[in-house]
C-alpha cells in the first residue's frame, strides 16, 4: 500500500487526499502540543518558548507554508526567529541549520528515515544533523502519546464511502506512513484507501507525478488544506479542491454534494469553486508580530 510503483488502478478516477488538517482536525493538536514542545526541548529554546510557539504556529498553521514538510518548516521557523528583535534581545542562541539546509537541498527523501540513512553513510555525522534527528524522533514520540481518538471532520466518512465506489483513493501526505495508518485504522477508514504515500515516498508533487503515470491526469483530483497541496496539483496539471482551514465541514459537505459529480463528469473547474478564492485569502504572508 505504500509503494506507488506497485499500485495498480482499480477504477479510472483517482482522488488524492491530504490527511492532517484535511481529513482529521489534528493540525492544532500536533503542532501546539507535539512539535512546539519538541522544538523548545531539543533545541534548548526554553528562554524564548513564547516566541518559538508563536513563530512555529505561524509557519505551520496560519501562513502559506502551512502543511510544509517538517524539516523545511523547522528551517523556516529558525529563519524567522533570527529576525525577531524580542529574541535577539534575550541573547538566546539559535542553532545554525546550514547542515540541515544542505541536506534538504540534496536529498530526495525528506523524512526521518531519509535522515537516518544519510547519517548512517557519514563517518562523523554533523552535530546539527544528529540534533535534527533527535528532534524529529521526539516529535513522533509526542504524536504517538498525544494524538488519539481524533475523529475525521463531519462528512468525511460518507464522502469516502461515496467516492470509493467510483474512484481509487490515495493519501498523499507529508506525515510519516506509520502515523497515517495508525490514525486511519483507529477510525476504521483504511477500508476506503487504495494507497498511502507518506513523507517517506517523497514530496506531494513527486507522488502525484508517479500516480499520473498510472491514471489519466484529467481523472485526478487533489484535496488538501495547504498551499503546498494546491501547488503539487498545479505542477502536475491536475485539479485541486481546497478544504478551507476553519471551514472544513462546509468544504467537505460541498465536495460531497456539489463537487464530486462534476469531477467525474470532467466539468469541474478550479476557478468555478467558490472556496478556491477563499482558500487563497485564508493563508497569510506576513506574521502578526510584524504588523504590530
Amino acid at each position: 500500500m505504500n509503494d506507488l510503483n506497485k499500485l495498480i488502478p482499480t477504477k479510472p478516477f483517482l482522488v488524492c487526499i491530504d490527511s492532517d488538517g484535511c481529513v482529521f482536525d489534528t493540525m492544532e493538536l500536533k503542532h501546539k502540543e507535539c512539535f512546539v514542545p519538541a522544538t523548545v526541548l531539543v533545541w534548548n529554546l526554553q528562554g524564548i518558548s513564547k516566541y518559538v510557539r508563536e513563530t512555529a504556529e505561524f509557519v505551520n498553521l496560519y501562513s502559506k507554508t502551512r502543511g510544509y514538510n517538517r524539516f523545511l518548516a523547522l528551517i523556516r521557523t529558525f529563519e524567522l526567529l533570527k529576525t525577531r528583535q524580542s529574541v535577539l534581545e534575550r541573547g538566546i542562541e539559535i542553532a545554525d541549520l546550514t547542515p540541515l539546509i544542505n541536506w534538504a537541498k540534496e536529498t530526495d527523501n525528506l523524512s526521518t528515515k531519509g535522515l537516518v540513512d544519510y547519517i548512517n553513510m557519514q563517518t562523523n555525522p554533523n552535530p546539527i544533523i544528529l540534533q535534527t534527528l533527535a528532534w524529529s524522533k521526539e516529535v513522533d514520540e509526542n504524536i504517538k502519546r498525544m494524538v488519539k481518538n481524533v475523529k475525521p471532520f463531519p462528512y468525511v466518512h460518507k464522502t469516502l464511502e461515496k467516492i470509493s465506489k467510483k474512484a481509487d483513493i490515495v493519501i498523499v501526505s507529508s506525515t510519516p506512513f506509520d502515523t497515517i495508518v495508525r490514525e486511519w485504522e483507529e477510525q476504521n477508514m483504511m477500508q476506503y484507501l487504495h494507497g498511502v504515500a507518506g513523507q517517506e515516498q517523497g514530496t506531494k508533487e513527486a507522488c502525484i507525478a508517479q500516480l499520473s503515470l498510472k491514471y489519466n491526469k484529467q481523472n485526478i483530483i487533489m484535496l488538501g488544506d495547504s498551499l503546498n497541496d494546491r501547488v503539487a496539483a498545479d505542477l502536475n496539471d491536475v485539479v485541486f479542491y481546497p478544504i478551507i482551514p476553519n471551514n472544513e465541514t462546509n468544504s467537505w459537505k460541498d465536495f460531497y454534494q456539489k463537487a464530486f459529480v462534476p469531477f467525474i463528469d470532467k466539468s469541474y473547474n478550479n476557478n468555478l469553486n467558490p472556496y478556491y478564492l477563499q482558500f487563497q485569502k485564508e493563508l497569510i504572508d506576513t506574521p502578526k508580530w510584524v504588523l504590530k
Side-chain angles (χ1 to χ4, degrees):
M1 179 169 275
N2 66 333
D3 188 344
L4 298 184
N5 290 321
K6 296 180 179 179
L7 184 145
I8 299 174
T10 63
K11 299 179 180 69
F13 296 94
L14 172 65
V15 178
C16 300
I17 308 178
D18 181 41
S19 190
D20 284 335
C22 180
V23 170
F24 295 106
D25 193 7
T26 49
M27 287 289 280
E28 300 260 340
L29 176 61
K30 286 187 177 181
H31 285 286
K32 292 184 177 182
E33 310 300 337
C34 302
F35 277 84
V36 170
T39 302
V40 170
L41 174 65
V42 175
W43 297 98
N44 303 309
L45 299 175
Q46 290 85 348
I48 54 169
S49 63
K50 169 185 175 180
Y51 302 107
V52 173
R53 179 174 294 278
E54 186 177 44
T55 306
E57 289 176 5
F58 168 76
V59 169
N60 290 290
L61 297 174
Y62 310 127
S63 74
K64 293 186 184 299
T65 53
R66 175 185 170 96
Y68 250 28
N69 171 277
R70 66 173 61 181
F71 300 108
L72 300 181
L74 180 69
I75 292 168
R76 180 59 178 154
T77 298
F78 277 32
E79 287 175 348
L80 289 176
L81 282 172
K82 290 179 179 180
T83 69
R84 300 194 62 171
Q85 187 63 30
S86 298
V87 171
L88 298 175
E89 290 172 349
R90 282 158 176 76
I92 302 295
E93 183 179 358
I94 308 296
D96 180 358
L97 297 186
T98 299
L100 176 60
I101 294 170
N102 291 337
W103 171 72
K105 289 178 179 178
E106 296 168 1
T107 186
D108 59 358
N109 189 353
L110 272 171
S111 68
T112 303
K113 182 182 182 303
L115 194 60
V116 169
D117 291 343
Y118 174 72
I119 289 171
N120 288 339
M121 291 189 298
Q122 308 300 308
T123 304
N124 295 301
N126 187 284
I128 289 295
I129 295 295
L130 293 175
Q131 198 166 356
T132 301
L133 177 60
W135 167 79
S136 190
K137 288 184 174 181
E138 181 73 13
V139 168
D140 288 337
E141 284 301 312
N142 287 348
I143 290 173
K144 191 173 181 179
R145 287 192 300 266
M146 177 66 68
V147 183
K148 299 177 181 179
N149 302 316
V150 179
K151 295 185 180 299
F153 290 110
Y155 279 90
V156 168
H157 253 297
K158 63 195 307 183
T159 301
L160 293 176
E161 183 177 6
K162 178 179 181 177
I163 64 181
S164 64
K165 295 174 181 177
K166 293 184 176 292
D168 289 335
I169 302 173
V170 174
I171 299 304
V172 177
S173 170
S174 56
T175 299
F177 174 82
D178 289 345
T179 301
I180 296 170
V181 171
R182 183 174 67 250
E183 293 172 355
W184 281 71
E185 284 183 340
E186 188 178 76
Q187 297 303 321
N188 193 32
M189 299 198 306
M190 287 295 292
Q191 59 183 309
Y192 301 118
L193 301 184
H194 190 55
V196 175
Q199 66 174 211
E200 300 87 349
Q201 297 300 306
T203 65
K204 294 177 181 180
E205 176 191 347
C207 289
I208 296 175
Q210 276 188 277
L211 291 165
S212 296
L213 299 175
K214 299 173 180 291
Y215 297 84
N216 187 320
K217 286 188 176 185
Q218 293 182 330
N219 292 356
I220 301 175
I221 190 169
M222 174 71 191
L223 276 63
D225 65 306
S226 73
L227 183 63
N228 191 33
D229 299 318
R230 196 210 74 188
V231 170
D234 289 349
L235 291 174
N236 282 287
D237 295 321
V238 304
V239 290
F240 172 72
Y241 182 89
I243 303 299
I244 306 293
N246 301 314
N247 196 15
E248 296 91 351
T249 297
N250 285 331
S251 300
W252 277 103
K253 181 180 179 180
D254 275 9
F255 185 77
Y256 176 79
Q257 294 181 340
K258 301 177 182 179
F260 180 63
V261 171
F263 164 63
I264 295 296
D265 291 344
K266 299 184 180 180
S267 60
Y268 178 88
N269 185 310
N270 285 340
N271 297 323
L272 297 179
N273 182 352
Y275 286 134
Y276 197 72
L277 185 59
Q278 181 186 346
F279 174 76
Q280 302 285 83
K281 295 179 179 179
E282 186 70 25
L283 303 175
I284 59 178
D285 286 311
T286 306
K288 65 181 181 180
W289 63 82
V290 175
L291 300 174
K292 291 181 180 178

